[in-house]
Amino acid sequence: MSVHPASLSPEASFVCRALERSPPQDLLPLARALDWRACLDGTGRLLWPSLHHALLERLPPGTVPEWAAARLADAARASALLHLQRRSELRVLLAGLGDAGIPVIVLKGMAIASVLYADPALRPMVDIDLLVPAADASRARGVLQDLGLRVPERWQVRPRTGPAAKDEADKPLERPGTPLLVELHGRLEWMRAPFAYDLEAAWARSVTVALGPDLRARVLSPEDTLLHLGMHLSSYHAFEHGLRDLLDVTLLVERHSFDWIALAAAWIGQGTAGWMRLTLALARDLLGARVPDTLLAALPGPADMDAAEALACERLWSAPLDQVPPAVATVLGAGGPGAGAQLALGRLNPARPGDGLRAALRRAAVDVKTRVPRYVAALAGGHLGPRSIRRAIALRRMQRRLSELMSPTEIASGPPAAQPLE
Amino acid sequence: MLYDPPARMKDTRIAPNRIQGVEEAPLQGELMLYDPKTGRFFVLNRTMAFVWSRCDGQRSVSDIAGELLAAFAGVDEARGRADVDQALAELRTLGLTADPEAVTSG
């Protein structure tokens, strides 16, 4: 199966074509008939700078309604400013880790923004992701804290047990007074059973590139970057970051001449081939990524690939996930009023196993400080209506269904690869 | 009325210098700056960006004005020089250029 943009909503189809760099004569009629509000709401802010750039290049002035053009331009400018701040922070972090003799690989957004995009500001990101050798992770965390980074208050109060628990060593760090989050990894997040990925070999293949003026850093090799981007957006995040991450993959495929035969063999050996096939098929079908048909035919997939692609497609257009507070979708989508009430009470109860009274009170205070404004903003933005909430719950269920469809058992029971790549 | 710079800035031999460590990136005709020491962001228009990019401690005010006039066709000389003076004064006020030194050689 292939997902044809024509089977998408007009807004999704338009965005795909704009990012794919369709000729202006193809885009113009779509743009004139577009529901721009639905387009921007559905796209999600992470894609707005790229969309802004694409529309400036592709459409005559005046085609995009003034208010929409202003929102896109503001997003592009904000992204540019934040990128400068992140780049400055990255210099400090790399210098500090370098002084401590800790090797570091810059991952994801910061690693690819300068390399794949015409302007790094076109690739918004939430945090700076750094990979260090697992053995050095604790020392590296100490270095970052010595440089002034701290665990954000909202993370400090995470309970020690339960679904929201997070190990102290895995909590992100933040430069106080800035929106800069830094995540330090000893391994790649998607690396879990059953995937067999040799991270040491990835370290050996890593390369040094320029990430800005006078800023050189080690990044994963193009092959490992493709795998990491693909697995992170699909297996780990179930396509919830929308088209931005698929655009990363598309640009990387455009930029490098990959040895697809070697990659297919490696992915099959690692157990990552099913997710990579799904990712690359969507990148090809939606954004025109130059992925050979023979590669897709040679990779194993689940028995019901059509259903997996359809779910992934829905999730790609899942910006409402960013707008409905996750707790609302969790509680209301718990699978029945009893389970929902239990979850809600659990969240409201500040005293949890493993916590003292002081920690519980502190968490309650921080919850009020950080969550209430979020709920108010969601309410004011009209994202707490029944329709938005239903959509957010449905998207969560799609995530679970997608994971089931892509399980190793399903992949193993799927049709054999049509033909080996030669 | 054209901008009348302070007496110190009228010395066209001085060579203004950008402060170190400022991150910059162009965006659609503007130049974005971030000064990590102060945590402040700046958005420079075309003229300001042109002047900023030439504040290298080597070019004098007079040099920068000459380059501006050469780069922007049709700009009146008095207007161009006043724009450069004003841009330099603003950059200095914003803390983006260090105290300039007079060019003593070259």
Side-chain angles (χ1 to χ4, degrees), chain B residues 20-96:
Chain B
Q20 297 299 302
V22 173
E23 298 282 347
E24 61 176 80
L27 183 75
Q28 289 151 26
E30 295 176 328
L31 188 70
M32 313 278 148
L33 302 182
Y34 172 65
D35 180 1
K37 288 197 185 80
T38 61
R40 293 169 74 195
F41 293 102
F42 306 91
V43 181
L44 305 188
N45 64 20
R46 238 174 126 200
T47 307
M48 290 276 280
F50 184 93
V51 173
W52 158 263
S53 68
R54 283 156 181 81
C55 290
D56 55 4
Q58 304 294 316
R59 292 172 167 93
S60 67
V61 175
S62 188
D63 293 338
I64 295 172
E67 288 185 30
L68 183 97
L69 291 169
F72 295 92
V75 176
D76 165 70
E77 186 173 342
R79 176 88 253 172
R81 287 190 187 281
D83 284 350
V84 169
D85 288 341
Q86 183 164 9
L88 286 170
E90 282 186 38
L91 289 170
R92 191 155 182 267
T93 305
L94 293 171
L96 290 170

Side-chain angles (χ1 to χ4, degrees), chain A residues 200-285:
Chain A
E200 272 189 41
W203 272 96
R205 288 188 293 266
S206 64
V207 294
T208 300
V209 297
L211 298 182
D214 304 318
L215 178 62
R216 293 184 68 76
R218 197 192 285 221
V219 300
L220 292 172
S221 71
E223 290 75 13
D224 290 306
T225 299
L226 180 61
L227 177 69
H228 180 43
L229 292 176
M231 290 301 287
H232 191 264
L233 81 91
S234 62
S235 168
Y236 190 70
H237 277 299
F239 301 93
E240 76 179 339
H241 290 156
L243 287 171
R244 180 202 65 175
D245 293 2
L246 209 58
L247 183 60
D248 291 344
V249 168
T250 303
L251 294 175
L252 182 59
V253 169
E254 246 175 49
R255 173 64 66 95
H256 289 280
S257 299
F258 287 109
D259 178 349
W260 293 115
I261 297 172
L263 282 182
W267 294 342
I268 290 168
Q270 295 158 0
T272 56
W275 284 108
M276 289 307 289
R277 176 180 162 183
L278 180 59
T279 301
L280 291 171
L282 289 167
R284 181 195 64 177
D285 296 343

Side-chain angles (χ1 to χ4, degrees), chain A residues 27-323:
Chain A
L27 275 182
L28 203 50
L30 292 173
R32 286 185 175 139
L34 203 65
D35 177 346
W36 282 93
R37 201 163 298 279
C39 178
L40 296 197
D41 284 351
T43 308
R45 290 170 185 274
L46 291 177
L47 202 63
W48 286 4
S50 276
L51 189 59
H52 176 61
H53 180 73
L55 297 182
L56 274 182
E57 269 190 344
R58 302 271 133 196
L59 292 177
T63 312
V64 182
E66 211 169 298
W67 67 267
R71 278 175 80 178
L72 291 172
D74 285 350
R77 182 181 282 193
S79 176
L81 294 173
L82 281 173
H83 180 74
L84 292 181
Q85 198 176 27
R86 265 192 303 268
R87 195 168 72 194
S88 170
E89 186 66 45
L90 183 62
R91 285 184 206 279
V92 174
L93 303 181
L94 292 180
L97 291 168
D99 288 348
I102 299 174
V104 55
I105 287 179
V106 181
L107 296 171
K108 295 192 301 190
M110 280 306 281
I112 57 171
S114 304
V115 178
L116 297 182
Y117 285 78
D119 179 336
L122 297 179
R123 205 312 189 160
M125 62 199 87
V126 175
D127 46 29
I128 297 173
D129 288 280
L130 302 176
L131 177 70
V132 295
D136 288 327
S138 172
R139 199 158 61 91
R141 197 169 174 83
V143 170
L144 299 195
Q145 285 172 328
D146 288 346
L147 289 169
L149 270 63
R150 296 287 178 266
V151 176
E153 197 177 30
R154 61 190 179 280
W155 284 91
Q156 286 175 22
V157 298
R158 283 280 182 114
R160 293 196 188 92
T161 57
K166 188 112 173 163
D167 280 347
E168 200 58 35
D170 292 335
K171 289 179 180 174
L173 296 163
E174 183 181 57
R175 169 77 60 196
T178 74
L180 293 175
L181 272 183
V182 178
E183 284 208 67
L184 201 57
H185 307 277
R187 55 199 278 284
L188 304 178
E189 292 152 310
W190 56 266
M191 283 174 58
R192 57 176 193 266
F195 308 124
Y197 180 61
D198 185 349
L199 191 55
E200 272 189 41
W203 272 96
R205 288 188 293 266
S206 64
V207 294
T208 300
V209 297
L211 298 182
D214 304 318
L215 178 62
R216 293 184 68 76
R218 197 192 285 221
V219 300
L220 292 172
S221 71
E223 290 75 13
D224 290 306
T225 299
L226 180 61
L227 177 69
H228 180 43
L229 292 176
M231 290 301 287
H232 191 264
L233 81 91
S234 62
S235 168
Y236 190 70
H237 277 299
F239 301 93
E240 76 179 339
H241 290 156
L243 287 171
R244 180 202 65 175
D245 293 2
L246 209 58
L247 183 60
D248 291 344
V249 168
T250 303
L251 294 175
L252 182 59
V253 169
E254 246 175 49
R255 173 64 66 95
H256 289 280
S257 299
F258 287 109
D259 178 349
W260 293 115
I261 297 172
L263 282 182
W267 294 342
I268 290 168
Q270 295 158 0
T272 56
W275 284 108
M276 289 307 289
R277 176 180 162 183
L278 180 59
T279 301
L280 291 171
L282 289 167
R284 181 195 64 177
D285 296 343
L286 297 177
L287 299 177
R290 291 182 203 139
V291 179
D293 290 342
T294 49
L295 170 74
L296 298 180
L299 296 176
D304 197 346
M305 186 70 178
D306 287 3
E309 283 203 25
L311 286 171
C313 242
E314 283 283 328
R315 297 264 311 164
L316 279 171
W317 203 253
S318 63
L321 277 182
D322 292 338
Q323 296 158 351

